[in-house]
């Protein structure tokens, strides 16, 4: 019996590994020839890293940094003759406010060029003079220029094997210790800062290396996005809520647009029609790219729903979700849901009004082997689903299929429980209530990653700073004259806490 | 010009890696033919593990254990296709007092057969009924039966590369988590116990995996025996003090015996004369073995200076240092220092009066590749020297020579600062004053390893239990009717602390 064309997209496995500026999709439209219709099927997560970076205009950091390269041990946790190989790890350093014994503020680099993080973490630059702090931005191994095997670093599991968070944390430890020794300033207190995956690293660094960092500010760090700690639908529910909170109609239009996309995709002239409707620069090869293109726009706009105009990944107006919904709500009454969704997404891709057409189909890296993708296929398994409440097509998470894809691609199987074994997360409020200190988890509830973050104070010194209107590590951006009070207040609290950690440290130091 | 024969042995590099039942020596007597005299020179540390174990009579543990084998990941910190190899890790389990939700007491195995530790950690067995605790003794990878590459495990750095403390800690984490899941008892609190290197692992486990263990009892754990945290001469000064405190004459006789040994070694019939004097079963091949034989006796007797008769490595009387000194002090007035030293050492080797002659020359393992030896050549670099105050020949520590020997032997270089980078230790009282909780560091000052231990309370919950008369993890031995009050009291304090951790845990658990 021939299956009927579904009005709503059918359930499909949905694993999405979004990160800071790495977006991947859980579903895509593929021809299901046998059934005679298009359906939403598993799409292997693919980071759009390169293309996103390419489009983002990196502002120059306000302070001049010196670029240095540290001879780093490739494998900290084994002692094979080969593992004593070193590679050159890039870091940026500014000492202009610093004197011997004064604090060292370290950004624990995440999945990208360290220049990019230095340019977008103005908060550390803003507060450096007050603390007379040395600033240190350390690049994460296998990203930017810190490639252990040069151009071959992403070649296979043989080289990529050394790319993981534990090795990265050990890199930070070794580099910081060596730097302090070279500066003859071993007593300088170190505070680590990180956003997103970098925030996870900062928090974990304080937990695993308390003898090296006296405290950590972890912004938008979804350390609970693993295993079954939070509901798997949290992320997309949160994206959806951002839109729903602005306008019920906006949410419903986007939610309804996928079925229209499926309907068009089933038509004979689908590609031509969609190319025209989406003003693509080149004719589309796949209807799936349209879904991906829309999806990216909605998710990143939610993450970057900042209260001021900003240019992080792309130039966006203040509160861009509100602006998107305004476009949807004010569209001509005859417009289809898909047309409205397209108009809204255009805000994300063309707020600067510089694009005459859209590069809807991302340039695919010929090797398809980006660092974060590898990490998701090994340790960073963050299961995600789309619930019926979300504005995305409902979908589940098929671990077996996911694991098989990883095996096919890299010859390795993910270790889905490893992160919670190595770093914990389950019942974190009980574990850390009586263990550890000096960690700030900052989150903005507009950011869908907040749902995987620590949102409540755990102890007197492991605290959560949560803002209703904040988005993805907004607190880490440089202060602007338009910053709202809640953001000024949040940063003030962060500074006060760091000040207290340092005061305590220096008091302890004097009582030798 | 021909050098004169020194009366006192000349300064020589001295690195000694003693452990629990692994003894090595910093100096040995070798022919310095060119100079025409014998001198004390560097001797590559060699564990006497096999021979010591062989001689020790392992008492049966009081409780029956089931032996199990866990499929363990070979390499937790990389994701190469090969690293997903598994090996079978041995563990012993007893559930007779336990019920679901009750505590799990884990012994974090160190450098030897896990049966051996189970048999010599009667304390855990003694307290299990009171806590209704499950008992779990986990064998350390590359020891006992837990050989990742079977008979080839010690073959080269290629296989031994996976033998280190971080991998061992991760093994414990993975195994404990899996076991709790299999028991459907995820809420069971875990307390880790360990003595000596196992105590270091227990303390580090609580620090690195607080989400898995709620507390640690680390007995005789020299976590500060690294880098320059404590004076390098501490260990041998402590051994010497044990003897000096009993009798100044005893100390001086031993201190003077080495010069006599050097003098005899320079004689023509040295080997024959020493073979006779030391009642060796077979003729000696090297005068160095005599030094090693005496050295072993004095160091282990200090470590095992228990208040009751015991049979840990060998049968020994109560307070054996006192007994040794009695032998020295009461020797006939005409006896040489070396003869007296021999008579004293005979107590260690023949307290049971069963030996008619002595196997002074240890059987050397043909590969010379024991696990602990590898660990000292990679991460466990514990520099030791013999000061002028010690009763051993004065000696320094030549790191370069040591490193070169490791390179020659294994093709790898030690990482002498790695342990303090990974686990800390420097200014530990300041670091842990505001971080972590629930660790007991127990030490007995008779034990020379105590000098590398934590001897003062760090915080309300990271405490030191120190006894003046205690020796190497005496608290972990089964209670006997002859135990002195201070030992009964120490164990009572340990039980009280563990009880408090558990009480707090269960209160926290109920307030979900």
């Amino acid at each position: 019996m021939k299956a009927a064309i579904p009005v709503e997209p059918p359930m499909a496995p949905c694993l999405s590994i979004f990160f800071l500026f790495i977006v991947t999709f859980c579903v895509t439209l593929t021809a299901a020839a046998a059934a005679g219709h298009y359906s939403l099927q598993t799409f292997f997560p693919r980071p759009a890293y390169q293309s996103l970076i390419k489009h983002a205009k990196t502002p120059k950091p306000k302070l001049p940094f010196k670029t240095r390269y540290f001879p780093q041990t490739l494998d900290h946790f084994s002692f094979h003759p080969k593992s004593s190989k070193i590679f050159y790890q890039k870091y940026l350093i500014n000492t202009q406010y610093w004197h011997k014994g004064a604090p060292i503020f370290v950004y624990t680099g995440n999945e990208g060029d360290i220049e990019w993080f230095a340019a977008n973490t103005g908060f550390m630059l803003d507060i450096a003079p007050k603390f007379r702090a040395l600033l240190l931005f350390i690049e994460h191994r296998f990203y930017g220029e810190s490639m252990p095997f040069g151009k071959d670093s992403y070649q296979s599991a043989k080289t990529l094997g050394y790319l993981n968070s534990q090795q990265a944390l050990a890199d930070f430890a070794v580099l910081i210790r060596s730097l302090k020794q070279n500066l003859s300033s071993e007593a300088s207190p170190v505070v680590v800062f990180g956003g997103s995956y970098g925030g996870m690293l900062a928090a974990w660094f304080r937990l695993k290396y308390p003898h090296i960092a006296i405290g950590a500010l972890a912004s938008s760090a979804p350390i609970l996005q693993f295993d079954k700690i939070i509901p798997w639908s949290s992320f997309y529910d949160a994206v959806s809520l951002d839109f729903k909170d602005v306008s019920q109609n906006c949410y419903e239009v986007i939610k309804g647009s996928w079925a229209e996309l499926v309907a068009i995709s089933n038509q004979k002239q689908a590609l031509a029609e969609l190319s025209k409707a989406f003003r693509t620069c080149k004719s589309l090869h796949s209807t799936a790219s349209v879904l991906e293109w829309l999806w990216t726009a909605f998710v990143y706009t939610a993450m970057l729903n900042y209260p001021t105009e900003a240019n992080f990944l792309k130039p966006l107006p203040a509160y861009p979700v509100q602006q998107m919904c305004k476009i949807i709500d004010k569209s001509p009454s005859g417009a289809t849901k898909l047309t409205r969704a397209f108009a809204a997404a255009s805000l994300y891709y063309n707020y600067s009004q510089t694009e005459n057409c859209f590069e809807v189909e991302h340039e695919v890296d010929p090797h398809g082997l980006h660092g974060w993708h590898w990490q998701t296929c090994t340790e960073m398994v963050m299961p995600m689903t789309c619930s019926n409440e979300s504005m995305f097509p409902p979908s589940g998470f098929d671990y077996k299929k996911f694991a098989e894809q990883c095996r096919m691609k890299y010859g390795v199987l993910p270790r889905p429980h490893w992160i919670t074994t190595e770093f914990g997360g389950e019942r974190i409020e009980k574990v850390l209530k009586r263990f550890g200190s000096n960690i700030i988890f900052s989150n903005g509830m507009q950011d869908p990653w907040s749902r995987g973050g620590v949102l409540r104070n755990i102890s007197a010194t492991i605290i959560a700073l949560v803002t209703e209107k904040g988005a993805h590590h907004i607190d880490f951006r440089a202060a602007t004259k338009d910053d709202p009070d809640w953001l000024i207040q949040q940063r003030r609290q962060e500074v006060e806490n760091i000040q207290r950690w340092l005061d305590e440290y220096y008091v302890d130091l004097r009582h030798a």
Side-chain angles (χ1 to χ4, degrees), chain A:
Chain A
M1 199 179 93
K2 199 175 164 186
I5 297 169
V7 178
E8 284 289 317
M11 284 293 282
C14 167
L15 172 86
S16 239
I17 317 292
F18 278 85
F19 240 88
L20 183 47
F21 46 84
I22 289 182
V23 61
T24 56
F25 306 89
C26 64
V27 290
T28 190
L29 299 165
T30 55
H37 70 274
Y38 285 84
S39 67
L40 291 160
Q41 296 212 335
T42 311
F43 173 80
F44 197 85
R46 179 171 66 76
Y49 164 59
Q50 301 294 356
S51 51
L52 282 165
I53 286 287
K54 209 175 59 189
H55 288 99
K57 284 172 194 139
T58 307
K60 290 254 177 221
K62 286 196 319 187
L63 292 178
F65 284 103
K66 281 183 183 156
T67 304
R68 295 274 180 274
Y69 298 86
F70 179 77
Q72 185 62 267
T73 302
L74 177 64
D75 189 350
H76 300 281
F77 305 107
S78 87
F79 292 85
H80 299 118
K82 274 187 193 167
S83 74
S84 60
K85 174 181 152 65
I86 59 155
F87 70 96
Y88 285 90
Q89 183 171 27
K90 184 174 174 179
Y91 65 95
L92 310 178
I93 187 167
N94 175 295
T95 57
Q96 75 184 80
Y97 301 113
W98 188 77
H99 61 89
K100 202 181 276 191
I104 296 174
F105 286 178
V106 177
Y107 186 90
T108 50
N110 33 319
E111 74 286 25
D113 294 344
I114 196 61
E115 313 266 1
W116 168 259
F117 295 112
N120 281 285
T121 313
F123 173 67
M124 285 174 68
L125 284 57
D126 288 345
I127 66 173
K130 174 188 162 65
F131 290 103
R132 305 189 64 177
L134 183 153
L135 292 175
L136 183 64
F137 283 77
I138 310 178
E139 195 162 70
H140 192 297
R141 56 167 59 199
F142 286 86
Y143 293 99
E145 290 181 61
S146 302
M147 292 295 174
F149 300 91
K151 284 179 189 169
D152 299 331
S153 296
Y154 285 177
Q155 200 162 55
S156 75
K158 217 172 151 185
T159 50
L160 280 165
Y162 300 100
L163 165 54
N164 60 63
S165 56
Q166 300 101 82
Q167 299 278 6
L169 293 173
D171 288 343
F172 299 146
V174 170
L175 192 155
I176 292 169
R177 195 177 175 192
S178 169
L179 184 85
K180 285 174 74 169
Q181 198 164 29
N182 285 345
L183 293 168
S184 303
S185 191
E186 269 113 336
S188 274
V190 170
V191 177
V192 285
F193 297 72
S196 200
Y197 169 48
M200 292 158 59
L201 293 173
W204 290 338
F205 193 78
R206 168 64 182 156
L207 288 173
K208 295 278 190 188
Y209 297 87
H211 48 289
I212 298 183
I214 68 158
L217 171 48
S219 182
S220 301
I223 59 168
L224 309 179
Q225 196 87 36
F226 297 94
D227 254 332
K228 292 177 180 172
I229 305 178
I230 58 162
W232 290 356
S233 65
S234 306
F235 185 91
Y236 286 110
D237 284 352
V239 173
S240 307
L241 196 63
D242 281 358
F243 286 82
K244 202 175 191 173
D245 275 351
V246 167
S247 148
Q248 178 73 24
N249 177 60
C250 177
Y251 160 84
E252 278 166 12
V253 165
I254 297 170
K255 192 177 172 75
S257 68
W258 311 110
E260 292 183 8
L261 179 58
V262 169
I264 292 177
S265 300
N266 279 332
Q267 292 171 11
K268 267 188 180 170
Q269 299 297 320
L271 288 173
E273 199 174 320
L274 286 171
S275 298
K276 194 179 158 199
F278 281 76
R279 286 174 42 207
T280 64
C281 300
K282 292 167 204 138
S283 293
L284 289 170
H285 296 87
S286 149
T287 55
S289 13
V290 174
L291 178 133
E292 192 174 325
W293 189 83
L294 290 171
W295 194 291
T296 303
F298 299 137
V299 173
Y300 279 120
T301 303
M303 275 170 66
L304 308 176
N305 196 21
Y306 294 146
T308 54
E309 204 174 58
N311 182 1
F312 182 33
L313 295 173
K314 291 176 175 294
L316 281 176
Y319 291 120
V321 171
Q322 223 162 321
Q323 298 307 316
M324 274 193 169
C325 284
K326 205 174 273 177
I327 291 168
I328 287 178
D329 291 348
K330 293 193 174 167
S331 292
S333 56
T336 65
K337 286 173 180 168
L338 190 58
T339 313
R340 290 173 196 229
F342 163 73
S346 303
L347 179 83
Y348 177 76
Y349 293 107
N350 193 23
Y351 174 59
S352 55
Q353 304 276 344
T354 50
E355 311 292 327
N356 294 319
C357 59
F358 295 110
E359 293 286 356
V360 170
E361 289 183 336
H362 291 286
E363 291 161 33
V364 177
D365 171 79
H367 304 296
L369 287 163
H370 298 294
W372 185 252
H373 188 190
W374 162 263
Q375 287 192 261
T376 63
C377 259
T378 48
E379 54 174 7
M380 294 292 161
V381 181
M382 298 174 164
M384 285 185 182
T385 59
C386 298
S387 74
N388 286 324
E389 296 310 303
S390 94
M391 66 187 198
F392 298 97
S395 55
F397 172 59
D398 185 338
Y399 174 71
K400 273 194 184 167
K401 203 173 250 178
F402 167 68
E404 177 55 19
Q405 286 165 326
C406 291
R407 201 193 54 75
M408 297 265 287
K409 190 136 199 154
Y410 298 113
V412 296
L413 284 174
R415 294 187 197 157
H417 312 298
W418 171 241
I419 287 291
T420 50
T421 301
E422 178 66 9
F423 299 113
E426 279 154 9
R427 297 191 289 191
I428 193 171
E429 62 294 339
K430 290 189 198 304
V431 171
L432 297 187
K433 180 184 175 184
R434 301 189 189 279
F435 186 94
S437 58
N438 297 1
I439 306 176
I440 303 168
F441 291 101
S442 68
N443 278 288
M445 295 306 287
Q446 293 295 304
D447 177 15
W449 287 115
S450 65
R451 302 310 194 273
V454 173
L455 299 175
R456 285 187 193 180
N457 290 349
I458 291 178
S459 69
T461 59
I462 301 184
I463 62 167
L465 294 181
V466 180
T467 57
E468 276 312 309
K469 292 190 172 173
H472 204 51
H473 49 65
I474 173 72
D475 48 336
F476 271 23
R477 300 192 64 73
T480 74
K481 62 178 175 42
D482 302 323
D483 287 340
D485 283 347
W486 55 261
L487 179 54
I488 295 169
Q489 173 64 10
Q490 184 184 26
R491 291 196 185 117
R492 188 184 298 137
Q493 286 176 287
E494 290 169 357
V495 166
E496 281 168 8
N497 274 283
I498 294 167
Q499 185 69 64
R500 203 180 55 247
W501 303 342
L502 291 169
D503 290 347
E504 274 178 358
Y505 174 84
Y506 285 114
V507 167
D508 289 350
L509 192 66
R510 277 194 296 273
H511 292 79

